[in-house]
Amino acid sequence: MVEGKRVAVVVPAFDEELLVAETIRGIPAFVDLIVVVDDHSSDGTAERARAVGDPRVEVIEHAENQGVGAAIATGYERCRELGVDVTCVMAGDNQMDPGELAALVGPVARGEVDYATANRLVSGEAWQLIPRSRYLGNAVLSLLTKIASGYWHVADSQAGYTALSLDALRRLDVERLYRRYGFPNDMLVHLNVQNARVRDVPSRPIYGVGERSGIRVRHVAPRIAWLLFKGFWWRMKEKYVIRDFHPLVFFYVFGLLFSLLGLVLGATVTILRILGNQLTVATVVLVALLLIAGLLFTLFAMLFDMESNRERR
């Protein structure tokens, strides 16, 4: 327990027989329950987890592979069913420092925030430790997640090392959350609609411990980007139209509309110029005005969104 609150750790695992036992053994004594969710591994992940002999461990096995998000969702549902006060997530590949778990759990257990998430970028070590392609992909997806979720202060949305309050978990529609690698990004979008308070907690990046990444950035990043695009407009509708109207929706719509008109008109006149047609000054000015208007509307919308979520930390 922490601050008199029961704490659970969900460990999503797929083909992690080499590291899952070490991950479990490192989980601090203040944790009351460890839910290992084996996402239909082809190796002995579930057996290795049980063989640790820790009485806190409960192993749940999926009948088929559903994705890391589905494994976390299964763990969340189990912890919600048991009424656990704070539910954390630690990957089964031993890449999350268990010594940092108390810093994640503390603000949630004290009721200061609803969700705490690790930030591996704050110290600057990530640039040296994380493979370049992963780092750059992380940076792009984290920026897109800021826009989609409205949590502009969350710097590292891909970390996946988190702590969630029971109250926030009960408000979440876990079944609607994305089932694969975009789970933490989609989670932030849904939390924002619930007006959950979210905080970044500094974390040390860990690589080179024998982990095997199943992430292929060039395949995963486009899918998550599309997920975030849809999530952004869903959040606009749910939060700023259905639940509480805010004019920033108009700013985003006009920003998108003017930007698209400017790009289409600009491309059209460029093609016409290549074909030998003369361009008038008025046409060039119109293209420029449309693009500038689109940019200004979008920036004002982002500013309104930032201000609306300033207290959600």
Side-chain angles (χ1 to χ4, degrees):
M1 286 192 172
V2 174
E3 303 284 339
K5 303 295 178 62
R6 293 179 66 211
V7 179
V9 171
V10 173
V11 181
F14 175 68
D15 288 350
E16 295 290 357
E17 66 175 3
L18 297 178
L19 294 169
V20 69
E22 189 174 351
T23 300
I24 293 170
R25 283 193 288 266
I27 294 176
F30 64 75
V31 173
D32 302 281
L33 173 67
I34 301 171
V35 181
V36 179
V37 183
D38 180 7
D39 193 28
H40 197 62
S41 297
S42 59
D43 62 9
T45 297
E47 290 74 15
R48 291 290 180 90
R50 292 189 181 98
V52 174
D54 191 324
R56 301 175 297 171
V57 173
E58 177 180 329
V59 178
I60 301 174
E61 297 183 64
H62 282 174
E64 59 182 25
N65 182 264
Q66 301 176 42
V68 64
I72 295 171
T74 295
Y76 274 161
E77 289 167 351
R78 178 58 176 157
C79 293
R80 182 174 59 190
E81 176 188 334
L82 295 173
V84 178
D85 299 296
V86 182
T87 301
C88 308
V89 176
M90 291 181 67
D93 58 7
N94 205 35
Q95 279 193 271
M96 297 172 179
D97 184 357
E100 298 171 349
L101 189 60
L104 282 167
V105 172
V108 179
R110 291 190 295 270
E112 297 170 2
V113 296
D114 301 295
Y115 189 65
T117 179
N119 180 359
R120 299 166 297 176
L121 308 180
V122 67
S123 67
E125 291 182 78
W127 179 248
Q128 284 76 38
L129 297 177
I130 300 178
R132 289 292 185 267
S133 61
R134 292 281 299 275
Y135 185 95
L136 294 174
N138 184 344
V140 171
L141 290 176
S142 292
L143 174 60
L144 294 178
T145 303
K146 286 173 181 281
I147 298 171
S149 71
Y151 289 121
W152 293 84
H153 62 284
V154 176
D156 185 10
S157 60
Q158 306 306 117
Y161 193 7
T162 63
L164 176 69
S165 72
L166 178 60
D167 182 57
L169 179 54
R170 283 173 171 163
R171 296 200 309 268
L172 275 176
D173 185 356
V174 176
E175 285 296 320
R176 289 195 57 174
L177 295 173
Y178 191 63
R179 314 305 275 179
R180 296 194 177 273
Y181 282 118
F183 182 90
N185 312 80
D186 199 34
M187 177 89 167
L188 286 169
V189 172
H190 282 76
L191 285 171
N192 189 274
V193 171
Q194 300 294 337
N195 291 318
R197 297 160 298 164
V198 176
R199 180 180 297 176
D200 259 0
V201 177
S203 176
R204 179 175 62 94
I206 300 175
Y207 280 82
V209 294
E211 76 280 354
R212 294 174 299 174
S213 175
I215 301 176
R216 298 294 178 266
V217 175
R218 65 180 181 276
H219 295 148
V220 172
R223 287 202 297 266
I224 298 179
W226 176 242
L227 170 73
L228 290 172
F229 178 80
K230 294 187 295 182
F232 168 80
W233 292 109
W234 176 79
R235 180 173 70 90
M236 291 295 108
K237 179 192 72 174
E238 288 291 322
K239 185 170 184 176
Y240 295 126
V241 176
I242 294 176
R243 304 188 185 208
D244 184 17
F245 180 77
H246 195 294
L248 71 82
V249 175
F250 290 126
F251 279 83
Y252 268 126
V253 170
F254 285 133
L256 178 63
L257 178 62
F258 285 140
S259 295
L260 286 176
L261 286 175
L263 290 172
V264 170
L265 182 58
T268 301
V269 297
T270 299
I271 293 172
L272 290 175
R273 181 69 185 89
I274 292 173
L275 294 176
N277 295 278
Q278 295 297 318
L279 299 181
T280 64
V281 174
T283 301
V284 175
V285 170
L286 177 60
V287 171
L289 287 176
L290 285 171
L291 292 174
I292 292 172
L295 177 62
L296 289 176
F297 272 115
T298 301
L299 290 176
F300 275 119
M302 289 181 176
L303 179 61
F304 288 142
D305 202 18
M306 289 180 189
E307 289 298 316
S308 178
N309 292 287
R310 186 175 294 277
E311 297 179 359
R312 307 301 175 192
R313 63 177 70 187

